[in-house]
Amino acid sequence: MHFSIPAVILPFLGQVDLSGSLLTVFLLCILAVIGFEFVNGFHDTANAVATVIYTKALRPVYAIPWSGFFNFLGVCLGGVTVAMGILKLVPLDTLMTLPVSVGACLVLAVLLASIVWNLGTWYLGIPCSSSHTMIGAMIGGGLAFTFYYNGPGVNWGKAGEIGSSLILSPIIGFGAAALLMLFLKHVTKSHALFHIPSGENDRPPIHIRLLLVTTCTLVSFFHGSNDGQKGVGLFMLILIAFLPARFAVNHAVPNGKVLSALNQTEQVINHELANNTEKKPVLTELTVAINQTKASLAEKNEKEVAKTYRYRKQVEGIIKDIRAVIKDPLVNLETKDKEVLSTAANELEHVTDFAPVWVIAIISLSLGVGTMVGWKRIVVTIGEKIGNEHLNYAQGATSEIVAASTIGLSTGFGLPVSTTHVLSSGIAGAMVASGGKGNLNNGTLKNIALAWILTLPVAIILAFLLFMLFHLFI
């Protein structure tokens, strides 16, 4: 049953004009994304603290809050590049032209599928990638969307790019950790680095403890900067699906800044047109698009979806065209003109690729608090069960150095990567380098591999079926 209400005033959001049932679903989605990031905290972040806990470098009572704090900082300072990459997996532009209830189905299906599989694998103590789960759920939701509404449901180009990142990262983690471990074995003279702690009071020397705490800190920070952004992306998906006029573009960017970027682009294009008429068709089209965007800029507002949608599409088109002109070998721009166009494109990108500070803060807190709850199941698997022997100091430090480096580079390139995959494979690589493949616990590795193999298809099927279920009610 639908009933209309004039408006509801919500914290951070202000006035929200949604029917009673849609408002309820909207609030449920907000709680679900907070729940997803909370689960991500104790599911994935356990990887960061496993090495310091099991090498006795830090007691759990200190390690967990420490890791939670740096996860919080990672989300706050990590930007939104990965978050926007996640958003591009689903058909946002098409969603904005359909009733809000359709977006609600997609969002709920993605969130619940992700949470169900994450909780299931956590309960069994199996390290499983939250990234893998969420991306599978988004693909499943996109496929269900296509089933009902035709048109593009999944951005397969972006999915392939993200998939390659997820597949390559554990291979890199295993290989790099094995090589680094072998290097340490043959170069380092310190026997203390390869010591296996045997009792509660058998703690590493201060210099090794500092090394392990530093690597734990880096993994925690970069986990926040990468995995935390996935939560930011999901939160923005909810806001755009339910409140497209308000959140499809960044209304906080002053119109003057947008106009300045458009005018700078126009000046470069006009200068190029005046100097070489052969390039006129390509550049004239961009000039026309700039004029259309200026007109849409004057009309866009926070209440009319159609005008906001048109403005977003035009800005996205201009960014794409500007970058195409910069790369076009037939358009021989001077270096200073390329720099002007590149700066303008980056400035315009702030209109479409953004997340409010309060969204980042909520996700940061959810991830940080989640880190402090329920961590032990995954930590036991990482610390004790991947290898047939207890983790030594060198193995812990090696796997975390490789994990932090891989995750940090992935964040820099705007690609989501699995902390679980990278760190688990890094520990496996370090174990193999220490004692050969016989040093691995085959039973645990089979469980982890099975979870990795099943995650994508299960998440896709779950999200697809949940979309169909929710679609019955609209």
Side-chain angles (χ1 to χ4, degrees):
M1 178 180 176
H2 295 269
F3 56 92
S4 296
I5 52 177
V8 170
I9 306 298
L10 295 175
F12 307 116
L13 290 166
Q15 182 173 304
V16 176
D17 299 298
L18 290 170
S19 69
S21 55
L22 278 177
L23 179 63
T24 302
V25 174
F26 173 65
L27 294 175
L28 283 174
C29 286
I30 297 292
L31 289 174
V33 78
I34 291 171
F36 170 82
E37 208 56 39
F38 181 81
V39 171
N40 189 11
F42 64 70
H43 192 288
D44 275 23
T45 314
N47 294 284
V49 295
T51 55
V52 287
I53 289 174
Y54 272 90
T55 54
K56 306 295 190 294
L58 276 181
R59 295 181 190 276
V61 69
Y62 302 118
I64 305 304
W66 180 266
S67 179
F69 175 70
F70 280 95
N71 266 279
F72 174 87
L73 284 184
V75 185
C76 290
L77 303 176
V80 294
T81 310
V82 174
M84 295 305 108
I86 293 295
L87 271 181
K88 287 168 187 172
L89 274 174
V90 293
L92 270 185
D93 291 336
T94 309
L95 268 181
M96 285 189 286
T97 64
L98 293 168
V100 172
S101 53
V102 178
C105 288
L106 179 64
V107 168
L108 271 180
V110 168
L111 288 170
L112 291 183
S114 301
I115 291 170
V116 166
W117 184 248
N118 271 355
L119 281 176
T121 51
W122 163 81
Y123 182 77
L124 296 172
I126 300 172
C128 178
S129 167
S130 295
S131 309
H132 213 168
T133 307
M134 186 191 68
I135 288 159
M138 294 188 88
I139 290 172
L143 290 173
F145 180 86
T146 302
F147 179 76
Y148 281 98
Y149 297 98
N150 300 318
V154 179
N155 183 343
W156 291 111
K158 194 67 184 176
E161 187 180 304
I162 291 171
S164 298
S165 171
L166 290 173
I167 291 168
L168 288 173
S169 57
I171 297 170
I172 293 169
F174 182 92
L179 289 172
L180 184 55
M181 190 69 188
L182 287 170
F183 174 80
L184 290 176
K185 279 179 68 177
H186 289 93
V187 173
T188 307
K189 304 299 182 184
S190 171
H191 293 292
L193 191 60
F194 301 95
H195 175 69
I196 297 174
S198 55
E200 188 59 36
N201 296 318
D202 186 4
R203 299 189 177 278
I206 187 65
H207 65 286
I208 294 176
R209 189 179 300 182
L210 286 172
L211 172 65
L212 289 164
V213 171
T214 301
T215 58
C216 165
T217 303
L218 290 172
V219 172
S220 299
F221 178 83
F222 286 122
H223 174 265
S225 72
N226 196 282
D227 270 47
Q229 283 197 55
K230 294 158 195 168
V232 172
L234 284 175
F235 208 127
M236 290 307 298
L237 176 61
I238 294 168
L239 294 178
I240 293 172
F242 284 89
L243 304 167
R246 184 98 54 92
F247 292 100
V249 299
N250 188 359
H251 293 284
V253 176
N255 287 5
K257 262 194 170 184
V258 178
L259 273 175
S260 175
L262 292 173
N263 288 335
Q264 286 172 359
T265 304
E266 194 171 31
Q267 285 170 10
V268 171
I269 300 304
N270 287 339
H271 179 261
E272 190 64 22
L273 280 169
N275 289 341
N276 196 331
T277 55
E278 290 178 13
K279 299 159 191 162
K280 193 170 182 179
V282 178
L283 302 176
T284 302
E285 288 174 10
L286 183 52
T287 304
V288 171
I290 289 170
N291 290 329
Q292 290 173 343
T293 305
K294 286 180 180 179
S296 294
L297 174 64
E299 294 180 349
K300 63 99 180 172
N301 59 70
E302 295 187 26
K303 293 188 176 179
E304 295 183 74
V305 177
K307 290 179 179 178
T308 304
Y309 168 70
R310 183 168 63 248
Y311 174 59
R312 178 189 171 93
K313 285 289 291 178
Q314 288 171 343
V315 170
E316 286 177 333
I318 283 179
I319 294 169
K320 185 178 177 181
D321 290 345
I322 289 173
R323 288 178 175 158
V325 167
I326 293 171
K327 293 176 183 177
D328 193 334
L330 298 176
V331 182
N332 190 23
L333 293 172
E334 294 179 14
T335 303
K336 64 175 183 178
D337 288 337
K338 285 184 178 180
E339 288 175 358
V340 169
L341 290 181
S342 183
T343 302
N346 292 338
E347 196 66 53
L348 290 171
E349 206 164 41
H350 293 151
V351 173
T352 56
D353 293 8
F354 76 103
V357 172
W358 58 268
V359 168
I360 295 170
I362 288 172
I363 294 299
S364 301
L365 284 171
S366 303
L367 186 64
V369 173
T371 303
M372 302 178 200
V373 180
W375 52 272
K376 194 167 186 179
R377 288 178 185 270
I378 305 297
V379 166
V380 169
T381 300
I382 293 290
E384 294 182 358
K385 296 181 180 178
I386 288 180
N388 288 323
E389 62 180 26
H390 198 294
L391 202 69
N392 68 34
Y393 305 143
Q395 289 163 346
T398 296
S399 56
E400 292 217 317
I401 288 169
V402 169
S405 304
T406 306
I407 298 164
L409 285 171
S410 298
T411 302
F413 286 111
L415 292 170
V417 70
S418 167
T419 303
T420 308
H421 284 188
V422 177
L423 190 62
S424 299
S425 58
I427 289 174
M431 289 286 183
V432 169
S434 298
K437 64 180 182 180
N439 200 26
L440 295 176
N441 185 326
N442 290 329
T444 299
L445 290 180
K446 283 177 183 176
N447 287 337
I448 293 173
L450 186 61
W452 287 357
I453 291 166
L454 289 177
T455 292
L456 197 61
V458 169
I460 289 171
I461 292 167
L462 267 176
F464 191 99
L465 294 176
L466 284 169
F467 186 97
M468 293 180 73
L469 173 66
F470 298 141
H471 200 270
L472 295 174
F473 297 95
I474 64 173

